[in-house]
Amino acid sequence: IDPRIKMTTRQGGTFITFPTGAEAKCTGARNAEDAERLRAHGNLCRLWIEEAAACRALAAIWTQAQFAVRHGPRPRVQLTSTPKATPAFRRVATNNRVTVTSAPTSANEHLEPEVRKRLYEDYRGSRLEAQELQGQLLAEVPGALWSHEVLDASRVLSTQLERDWPRRDETREMWLRRVLGLTTVVVGVDPATSGRGDRSGIVVVGGDNPKKRDGFRHAYFLEDRTGLMVPSTVDMGDALDDDKLAAGIEGWAERAAEVAVRWQADMIVVERNRLGRMARTAFRGIGFTGRIEEVDAGGPKGVRADSLRMAWTRRCHIIDSLPELELEMTTWVPAEGDDPDFDPEADDLDTFTGSPDALDAAGHAARKVLGLGKPVRRPSAPLSSALQSGWTGA
């Protein structure tokens, strides 16, 4: 817009300087550490968060912004984004101190008319039209196993924990283990094997002492490192042979091992599928010596996810926000019978139609932490006898 505006990278980061002498600093927003960098920027008069709904650390950034943006007569935080219904974005958008404005794609006078026409023709009537073209913040997905309200009701915010248990000279991982009283930490892994662009799921789940609260162990979903880790040299349109699988396994094995070491996890639980059969060898090959347990998928994904959903209300909690995992939980709709096929041409790109990799990994870890699926010891006396003796189900 103005050739006098300069962007330079120097010690301290990347900066934009304006002719007036004002200066802006560019920073990332992928994790809690990025949010902490706002402390080093000094007192700000404005913070602009671009594509806020896609910002993985939006909850932490928003919290820190309340302390960082306070310079000048009208300090403010400005967010621009396609409105995806991630938990953190929904909380910001519905805050009573936030003013929301929106505009549809049809109002963009700089867009080529033919492009605008094609977009509306291709996506008319879909959720994608409402979100991407009309700028609407969509409500819950019919048929999804979780709602945003359910996840929010059991959510635990680290900012609230820190008020009661300030962090000592320790990492965030060790601090959370201490204040939550975690006796078990498990890293769940769902390796990608389809060769169609699926991601490898890596989710950390911790469990506390069953005697701590209500006699039940609670599960805390601590971190989600799910991502696409098949080498770029692999053609996603082709099925993966064993050589390509062996080449791709090292990426997710290294990431899962790094996460396990950082959290001092008790074990890594990896799904025993085509790629998972090589998991133990891969982990040992990169020097990981911790405990590894292979588990079978055990039926359709919908059945496995439903067992976790039934245990959720009273026993499961997400720490802060895990946007990608929560997006799968609140938008993936199980198909009847077999798992839904991956469909890269699906009309609704924001409703999960492929493999819910993060949810699968989270399920494997949570089932191990909570003991879901273990045989239940049946009483020796019939239920009718127990009722007659005054048992009330407590």
Side-chain angles (χ1 to χ4, degrees):
I1 297 174
D2 187 334
R4 297 174 298 169
I5 299 175
K6 304 295 182 182
M7 183 171 69
T8 57
T9 299
R10 61 179 188 268
Q11 184 176 1
T14 298
F15 298 84
I16 299 174
T17 55
F18 298 87
T20 60
E23 186 173 71
K25 183 176 182 179
C26 302
T27 186
R30 290 184 57 82
N31 50 49
E33 285 72 19
D34 289 329
E36 287 295 313
R37 291 195 181 100
L38 286 178
R39 297 179 183 271
H41 295 347
N43 294 329
L44 306 177
C45 62
R46 177 173 294 221
L47 177 67
W48 180 5
I49 307 175
E50 165 65 348
E51 287 299 347
C55 170
R56 296 182 56 165
L58 179 59
I61 291 287
W62 178 257
T63 298
Q64 193 56 43
Q66 310 311 307
F67 302 96
V69 183
R70 56 186 181 182
H71 181 64
R74 297 185 63 196
R76 67 184 66 185
V77 181
Q78 172 179 312
L79 302 89
T80 51
S81 183
T82 297
K84 292 186 179 181
T86 60
F89 187 79
R90 291 175 71 251
R91 283 198 295 274
V92 172
T94 56
N95 189 300
N96 58 11
R97 291 186 291 109
V98 172
T99 299
V100 179
T101 62
S102 64
T105 299
S106 58
N108 185 355
E109 60 184 20
H110 303 288
L111 189 63
E112 288 291 334
E114 285 300 316
V115 174
R116 184 190 303 115
K117 179 181 177 182
R118 174 176 57 80
L119 288 173
Y120 276 96
E121 288 178 350
D122 289 349
Y123 298 105
R124 181 175 289 113
S126 69
R127 288 174 56 85
L128 197 61
E129 179 198 18
Q131 176 179 277
E132 300 287 337
L133 303 182
Q134 301 299 339
Q136 298 177 11
L137 185 62
L138 300 181
E140 310 296 344
V141 176
L145 297 179
W146 282 268
S147 68
H148 293 288
E149 284 71 20
V150 168
L151 299 185
D152 286 343
S154 59
R155 191 182 306 277
V156 176
L157 300 178
S158 59
T159 52
Q160 295 175 348
L161 293 175
E162 196 161 8
R163 294 170 189 167
D164 297 324
W165 295 280
R167 196 186 304 186
R168 304 168 184 167
D169 185 16
E170 56 193 338
T171 64
R172 180 176 184 271
E173 292 81 6
M174 294 304 99
W175 172 70
L176 282 174
R177 287 199 65 146
R178 175 172 62 85
V179 301
L180 295 174
L182 301 182
T183 59
T184 304
V185 173
V186 176
V187 179
V189 181
D190 176 33
T193 62
S194 68
R196 298 169 297 190
D198 292 346
R199 304 174 303 164
S200 292
I202 301 175
V203 177
V204 184
V205 181
D208 61 8
N209 189 329
K211 298 179 181 179
K212 179 182 177 182
R213 295 189 183 184
D214 49 11
F216 294 99
R217 169 167 285 177
H218 286 236
Y220 297 87
F221 292 71
L222 304 165
E223 183 176 353
D224 178 13
R225 293 297 305 281
T226 299
L228 184 64
M229 283 165 269
V230 176
S232 58
T233 54
V234 174
D235 184 354
M236 289 301 178
D238 299 332
L240 295 178
D241 57 30
D242 288 340
D243 290 339
K244 291 177 180 178
L245 288 176
I249 192 173
E250 189 170 316
W252 60 257
E254 287 184 346
R255 181 176 294 187
E258 180 272 327
V259 171
V261 170
R262 182 156 43 79
W263 282 97
Q264 295 185 16
D266 297 84
M267 70 173 71
I268 292 178
V269 176
V270 59
E271 184 175 310
R272 185 186 290 116
N273 51 28
R274 186 183 175 195
L275 199 60
R277 295 184 186 281
M278 294 184 276
R280 194 177 300 275
T281 301
F283 281 120
R284 299 304 183 226
I286 62 174
F288 181 74
T289 58
R291 182 180 172 188
I292 302 167
E293 183 171 321
E294 295 180 0
V295 295
D296 292 315
K301 293 179 184 292
V303 175
R304 302 200 302 270
D306 196 52
S307 66
L308 178 60
R309 180 190 64 81
M310 289 188 291
W312 190 275
T313 305
R314 290 182 57 188
R315 302 175 61 187
C316 298
H317 314 270
I318 291 177
I319 301 298
D320 293 328
S321 64
L322 302 177
E324 295 181 15
L325 172 61
E326 294 179 43
L327 183 63
E328 291 185 14
M329 296 173 73
T330 55
T331 63
W332 179 66
V333 179
E336 295 183 4
D338 295 333
D339 297 334
D341 293 329
F342 178 82
D343 182 11
E345 302 299 327
D347 289 337
D348 188 357
L349 301 182
D350 210 41
T351 297
F352 225 83
T353 56
S355 175
D357 311 294
L359 178 55
D360 255 2
H364 292 318
R367 277 188 288 275
K368 179 60 63 175
V369 167
L370 297 175
L372 301 179
K374 289 185 177 180
V376 177
R377 181 179 298 177
R378 299 188 180 279
S380 57
L383 179 60
S384 58
S385 300
L387 293 174
Q388 290 174 5
S389 64
W391 183 72
T392 61

